[in-house]
């Protein structure tokens, strides 16, 4: 399944389009995400920011992240920093060659396989869905997969083990996560165009 990009000047679609800046606007909350993405084969390097105003879903916050994957699209490291009225928090997440994740937040370091996870997912972010979508080639092939992830909650940056389910078909990709269930549309490179209930790309 390939869903073409429609009318976004900075949107990817060919090798010459990278690096690119992708931006999403939340459907029903005062929140936006913008990320600069560099692609080299299946390797992704990304630097992004999510900004949210106070609403029923969350307190006002600003969060920034830096992500690096290996040549297979497997997450190697992710660093996040969140700023709230009460102060700042940060967490560093990295995966070693033995498949263990190290979570460091300045208090008690945690080392775990997180159920064999190869990806990190961040709640409220449409960008991080791209990681398993591209690894499994779901932008071109129909798949039905269960994906263990290192799941990061915003804005408190708590980290837990979780599992997401992706099912692709002619009408898009259905995503079942710990916080939502929705059918999303993606572009030809596997980046989210619209995630009903979460955000749309602008």
């Amino acid at each position: 399944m390939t869903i073409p990009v429609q009318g976004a000047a900075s949107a990817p679609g060919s090798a010459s389009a990278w690096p690119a800046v992708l931006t999403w606007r939340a459907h029903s909350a005062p929140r936006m995400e913008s990320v600069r993405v560099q692609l080299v084969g299946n390797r992704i390097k990304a630097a992004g920011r999510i900004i949210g105003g106070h609403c029923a879903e969350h307190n006002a916050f600003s969060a920034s992240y830096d992500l690096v994957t290996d040549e297979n699209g497997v997450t190697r490291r992710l660093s996040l920093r969140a700023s709230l009225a009460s102060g700042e928090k940060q967490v560093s997440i990295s995966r070693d060659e033995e498949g263990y994740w190290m979570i460091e937040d300045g208090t008690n370091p945690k080392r775990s396989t997180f159920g064999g996870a190869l990806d990190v997912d961040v709640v409220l972010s449409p960008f991080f869905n791209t990681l398993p979508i591209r690894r499994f080639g779901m932008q071109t092939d129909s798949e039905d997969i269960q994906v263990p992830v290192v799941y990061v909650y915003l804005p408190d940056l708590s980290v837990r083990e979780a599992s997401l389910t992706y099912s692709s078909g002619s009408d898009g990709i259905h995503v079942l996560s710990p916080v939502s269930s929705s059918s999303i549309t993606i572009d030809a490179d596997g980046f989210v165009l619209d995630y009903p209930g979460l955000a749309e790309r602008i």
Side-chain angles (χ1 to χ4, degrees), residues 127-149:
F127 165 73
F128 284 87
N129 290 274
T130 289
L131 301 180
I133 287 173
R134 284 181 58 85
R135 276 200 313 105
F136 285 98
M138 297 184 73
Q139 68 271 32
T140 56
D141 299 316
S142 294
E143 295 280 355
D144 190 352
I145 54 175
Q146 192 162 2
V147 183
V149 296

Side-chain angles (χ1 to χ4, degrees), residues 67-150:
L67 168 82
V68 176
T69 77
D70 66 14
E71 62 278 5
N72 297 313
V74 175
T75 299
R76 293 306 305 268
R77 63 181 183 272
L78 171 68
S79 59
L80 300 105
R81 179 187 298 270
S83 298
L84 302 91
S86 58
E88 288 194 344
K89 297 182 178 182
Q90 57 185 357
V91 64
S92 174
I93 301 170
S94 59
R95 185 176 183 276
D96 64 23
E97 297 294 338
E98 297 178 347
Y100 280 89
W101 295 86
M102 178 63 74
I103 313 298
E104 299 178 277
D105 60 5
T107 56
N108 298 315
K110 178 180 181 181
R111 188 170 185 260
S112 170
T113 62
F114 282 89
L118 300 178
D119 306 294
V120 174
D121 193 41
V122 178
V123 71
L124 303 180
S125 168
F127 165 73
F128 284 87
N129 290 274
T130 289
L131 301 180
I133 287 173
R134 284 181 58 85
R135 276 200 313 105
F136 285 98
M138 297 184 73
Q139 68 271 32
T140 56
D141 299 316
S142 294
E143 295 280 355
D144 190 352
I145 54 175
Q146 192 162 2
V147 183
V149 296
V150 180

